[in-house]
Amino acid sequence: MAKIHELPVLLADQIAAGEVVERPASVVKELVENAVDANSTEINVNVESAGLKVIQVIDNGDGIAGDEVQTAFLRHATSKIAEQRDLFRVKTLGFRGGEALPSINSVSDLTIETSTGDVGTQLQFKGGKLVSQGIAAPRKGTTVTVNQLFYNTPARLKYLKSPGTELSQITDVINRLAISYPQISFSFTSDGRELLRTAGRGQVDAVLGAIYGQKNLNKLVPITKENLEIQVTGYTSLPELTRASRKYMSLILNGRYIRNYQLSRAIVDGYGSKLMVGRYPISVINITVDPALVDVNVHPTKQEVRISNEQEIMTLISQAVDAAVSPQVRIPQADPVPNLSQAISRPKPIVAESSKLPANTAPMLKATDPTAVVEPIIITNKAELDLPTIQRFDEQVAKMTASNNEVEEQPVAPISKPEDLELFSEETKDTKFPELRYIGQLHGTYLLTENQNGLYLVDQHAAQERVNYEYYRKAIGEVSDDQQRLMVPIVLDYSTSDFLLISERLDLLANLGIYLEEFGQNSFILREHPTWFKAGQEEDTVREMIDWILTDHHISVAAYREKTAIMMSCKRAIKANHHLDDQQAKALLERLPECENPYNCPHGRPVLVEITTTEIEKMFKRIQDSHDSKEF
């Protein structure tokens, strides 16, 4: 065995870079966070070749004194903490003692120009070694330019994704920092093309409009909740605006973007049954707590933290979301027919340089309607690159750029002037369920109804699910002794481990009127069941209810009743392609307004959709847009 020895400084820095600098987005995150900590009011980020060729961050912050610049690139050097107790009240984004700068420096060609307002200092490093030192302009602030990232660690390039994916990761980082600090003006440019600009006026809604677009901004509602120790503020989307991924839920704790599954789950819990299964809202949740209650020193990237009062924060978030979403009208309007003449005359949206996808990936969505919903990150190509050198990466980007005009273009982030955005309107709307007159049925699935406002399409399955759900939720909550005796008892067999888990939760089943008896080894027998069980589905129903116990060992009685009510409402609802006669349809429409929430089925799908009379008149050109319209 080799003798124990101390690693050279450069090698130690490159090892640390493996933790801190995973990809170009990691470099952007660390440098922009340093700029935020330096009290900047304006931060400009420029990248080339998805950050592998050039990453430049320019700020107007405090700057670094000339005699301290070189010290900033030493490991364990920092200006943000001085003693042990500072770790327990961290108020800055960076604090881990100079991990970022020396790590980035060791795997790139880096230049820094900085000044506190007097004569500035310029240092140039290559692979962690200082190669030149000189005088810079006396502009207050700091400019860090990172060239040829990973040039001396080519193996790292093999683990990077496509240029589009790497660019989308950088976009995501900047978006979240811009949301976290609306008082700072951010700009982001990729290969000379501006992808984002915020005004820095402290208006979170203006930043959200710049990132997600005005159409989506109009479907975000403000939230607020606080107690003596915690304040929760932010925005969350109406149930009609959702995504298939949790990544659109941003959690910001004391100005720091964090990842926390429990807090993300609390957002979803706040919607109750208003969200469809597998769908997630667009949310920005700002949490302010005493820094002493948070331990941020648990991960090199500082995105995972420990919170001492996490459960209390979860409760506040759920309550805040519920209070914001529940009063809103939840009848989504049908999208208007796009005006093709306007679409053709409008300028093309800003696109990523890598919007030409390789042949082995799914084609991108073609946005023929300029008003279509725009995702903050739309490039999802995950094909890995096998690049031994930076040059081959640059060649691929160049080819993509050259062929950019051959494909339909797609926006990465909408370019908006935040000062021109309409701020969120807090005008309350009438939430009374509309009176509907039945017209007929479409394809045995949708009920056609009308009133003075327009046409309403009612999903008959979703409507009856909602009616059934509210019945079962009440029936299950008021468990009686009414039982239906089975002519042939049901025997349920399980593995030993499952049998033991179920045995510990027999009381939970009994709360719903399901009484299992042990029947031999690893088996239970069911002799009777509640009368609200559907005939012919007794065994399937019990097995599904037991599966929840096996999935969630600590499920509460309330949650268990909720899940059961949802399941039973779906099983007993009429399905699509089932024709109703007029009497059945009208009976369903009469029961729907009596529900506590007639707008969504228990899974969160909309029960009805409105097409206003105005929209219908526009479709038939009875109402036409003015030629003097200012929208282009």
Side-chain angles (χ1 to χ4, degrees):
M1 180 179 290
K3 293 182 179 180
I4 298 175
H5 61 280
E6 186 177 1
L7 290 175
V9 173
L10 177 59
L11 182 56
D13 287 342
Q14 289 180 336
I15 293 174
E19 295 181 337
V20 179
V21 188
E22 299 175 330
R23 60 200 323 161
S26 305
V27 176
V28 173
K29 174 181 178 294
E30 296 293 343
L31 295 181
V32 175
E33 286 183 349
N34 281 345
V36 172
D37 286 342
N39 302 310
S40 303
T41 59
E42 183 177 339
I43 300 174
N44 303 318
V45 182
N46 308 306
V47 301
E48 296 180 19
S49 298
L52 282 184
K53 187 175 182 180
V54 175
I55 296 174
Q56 185 179 63
V57 177
I58 306 170
D59 69 58
N60 65 347
D62 298 334
I64 306 174
D67 58 349
E68 296 179 350
V69 180
Q70 199 164 342
T71 305
F73 288 85
L74 299 177
R75 289 185 65 77
H76 313 305
T78 182
S79 64
K80 300 168 185 177
I81 59 174
E83 53 190 5
Q84 182 180 5
R85 65 179 181 180
D86 292 340
L87 282 176
F88 303 107
R89 298 191 66 87
V90 174
K91 297 182 180 179
T92 56
L93 296 179
F95 62 89
R96 292 178 65 93
E99 286 181 331
L101 284 179
S103 297
I104 298 169
N105 191 26
S106 68
V107 292
S108 68
D109 181 350
L110 184 148
T111 301
I112 182 172
E113 298 179 7
T114 185
S115 171
T116 58
D118 299 325
V119 177
T121 302
Q122 180 189 68
L123 299 180
Q124 182 178 359
F125 298 84
K126 190 173 184 64
K129 296 181 180 179
L130 180 64
V131 295
S132 69
Q133 183 173 0
I135 297 175
R139 183 194 69 85
K140 186 177 181 181
T142 301
T143 299
V144 178
T145 306
V146 177
N147 297 296
Q148 306 300 326
L149 184 63
F150 301 136
Y151 82 97
N152 56 353
T153 54
R156 295 294 304 277
L157 297 173
K158 295 182 180 180
Y159 297 97
L160 296 178
K161 306 298 181 181
S162 70
T165 299
E166 295 302 328
L167 180 60
S168 73
Q169 292 286 338
I170 296 173
T171 304
D172 189 47
V173 166
I174 297 173
N175 284 348
R176 296 188 194 279
L177 284 165
I179 291 171
S180 303
Y181 293 91
Q183 71 274 21
I184 298 177
S185 174
F186 286 86
S187 71
F188 173 42
T189 303
S190 172
D191 295 309
R193 192 182 297 269
E194 187 175 84
L195 301 182
L196 177 69
R197 179 174 294 276
T198 66
R201 296 179 178 176
Q203 299 170 327
V204 178
D205 49 0
V207 179
L208 292 174
I211 293 172
Y212 294 111
Q214 181 66 36
K215 185 175 180 179
N216 286 342
L217 176 63
N218 292 336
K219 295 182 179 180
L220 300 181
V221 293
I223 68 170
T224 180
K225 192 78 174 179
E226 63 181 312
N227 61 21
L228 294 177
E229 294 182 335
I230 308 164
Q231 182 183 42
V232 173
T233 60
Y235 286 83
T236 196
S237 62
L238 295 173
E240 62 194 79
L241 176 62
T242 59
R243 295 291 181 266
S245 169
R246 295 176 184 270
K247 71 179 181 180
Y248 298 95
M249 297 189 295
S250 298
L251 293 167
I252 302 165
L253 179 63
N254 291 346
R256 181 190 307 278
Y257 165 69
I258 64 169
R259 295 180 182 141
N260 186 295
Y261 174 77
Q262 297 298 332
L263 298 185
S264 295
R265 191 181 70 177
I267 299 174
V268 177
D269 289 346
Y271 282 84
S273 62
K274 302 178 188 70
L275 287 179
M276 289 181 63
V277 176
R279 305 293 297 182
Y280 303 94
I282 296 175
S283 301
V284 176
I285 309 296
N286 278 287
I287 307 164
T288 304
V289 299
D290 186 339
L293 301 176
V294 181
D295 182 5
V296 296
N297 189 29
V298 296
H299 194 274
T301 64
K302 298 163 288 189
Q303 289 188 353
E304 297 177 12
V305 300
R306 292 193 185 100
I307 310 171
S308 62
N309 53 351
E310 184 175 83
Q311 187 61 49
E312 190 177 358
I313 295 176
M314 288 176 60
T315 300
L316 280 183
I317 290 175
S318 294
Q319 292 175 348
V321 171
D322 177 60
V325 173
S326 293
Q328 304 299 321
V329 173
R330 293 186 291 275
I331 305 178
Q333 291 191 347
D335 289 334
V337 176
N339 188 325
L340 296 181
S341 61
Q342 287 186 0
I344 294 173
S345 66
R346 293 179 181 178
K348 293 182 178 180
I350 300 300
V351 298
E353 295 296 337
S354 56
S355 60
K356 176 76 173 180
L357 293 180
N360 62 341
T361 60
M364 297 165 65
L365 296 177
K366 295 184 178 181
T368 57
D369 178 9
T371 64
V373 175
V374 178
E375 306 279 359
I377 300 171
I378 52 83
I379 303 174
T380 56
N381 174 21
K382 297 184 178 179
E384 292 191 0
L385 296 175
D386 183 13
L387 302 178
T389 62
I390 290 287
Q391 287 72 23
R392 285 188 60 190
F393 187 99
D394 290 339
E395 290 173 5
Q396 182 173 351
V397 175
K399 290 179 181 178
M400 291 181 175
T401 304
S403 59
N404 201 32
N405 295 328
E406 299 176 8
V407 296
E408 194 73 28
E409 295 183 330
Q410 181 83 352
V412 170
I415 304 301
S416 306
K417 294 181 179 179
E419 57 268 25
D420 295 335
L421 293 174
E422 295 182 8
L423 300 183
F424 176 80
S425 174
E426 297 186 358
E427 295 182 2
T428 58
K429 299 181 180 179
D430 182 12
T431 60
K432 182 180 179 181
F433 193 80
E435 295 183 6
L436 304 177
R437 186 177 71 84
Y438 177 65
I439 301 174
Q441 190 178 32
L442 176 66
H443 300 316
T445 303
Y446 303 100
L447 305 182
L448 304 180
T449 66
E450 66 172 2
N451 67 11
Q452 68 276 10
N453 296 325
L455 176 69
Y456 293 79
L457 279 74
V458 179
D459 184 330
Q460 65 186 32
H461 176 73
Q464 192 166 63
E465 267 194 318
R466 167 53 60 178
V467 171
N468 289 346
Y469 164 74
E470 297 200 4
Y471 165 79
Y472 285 119
R473 185 177 60 177
K474 181 178 179 181
I476 293 170
E478 299 174 354
V479 177
S480 67
D481 295 329
D482 294 335
Q483 294 278 322
Q484 176 69 46
R485 191 78 176 180
L486 288 164
M487 294 183 63
V488 179
I490 299 172
V491 177
L492 307 168
D493 299 317
Y494 291 93
S495 67
T496 302
S497 58
D498 289 345
F499 177 83
L500 294 174
L501 290 173
I502 297 168
S503 298
E504 294 176 349
R505 305 306 304 275
L506 291 179
D507 59 334
L508 188 59
L509 289 165
N511 270 285
L512 274 68
I514 301 169
Y515 304 100
L516 295 182
E517 302 171 23
E518 294 187 11
F519 187 72
Q521 185 176 3
N522 299 340
S523 298
F524 299 98
I525 188 170
L526 180 68
R527 303 183 188 277
E528 56 186 12
H529 64 81
T531 54
W532 44 263
F533 268 33
K534 186 175 182 180
Q537 296 183 352
E538 297 88 348
E539 182 172 349
D540 289 343
T541 301
V542 172
R543 286 192 179 277
E544 288 184 25
M545 295 170 69
I546 291 175
D547 284 344
W548 294 330
I549 293 177
L550 297 175
T551 302
D552 187 348
H553 302 166
H554 305 289
I555 189 170
S556 66
V557 173
Y560 196 63
R561 289 175 175 172
E562 176 80 357
K563 288 179 177 291
T564 302
I566 292 174
M567 179 190 68
M568 294 300 298
S569 66
C570 183
K571 284 183 175 293
R572 300 209 64 172
I574 50 178
K575 308 304 181 195
N577 300 316
H578 178 83
H579 290 272
L580 301 178
D581 60 35
D582 288 357
Q583 185 176 357
Q584 291 172 321
K586 291 177 179 178
L588 178 58
L589 292 173
E590 288 175 0
R591 296 183 64 187
L592 187 59
E594 299 173 359
C595 295
E596 180 181 335
N597 172 20
Y599 303 101
N600 303 91
C601 80
H603 303 93
R605 292 195 302 110
V607 169
L608 69 167
V609 172
E610 175 189 16
I611 305 177
T612 66
T613 301
T614 301
E615 293 300 338
I616 294 174
E617 291 177 339
K618 283 184 177 180
M619 292 177 189
F620 288 95
K621 303 300 181 181
R622 289 178 176 269
I623 298 178
Q624 299 186 28
D625 294 332
S626 170
H627 290 291
D628 297 328
S629 174
K630 296 181 180 180
E631 185 179 13
F632 295 97

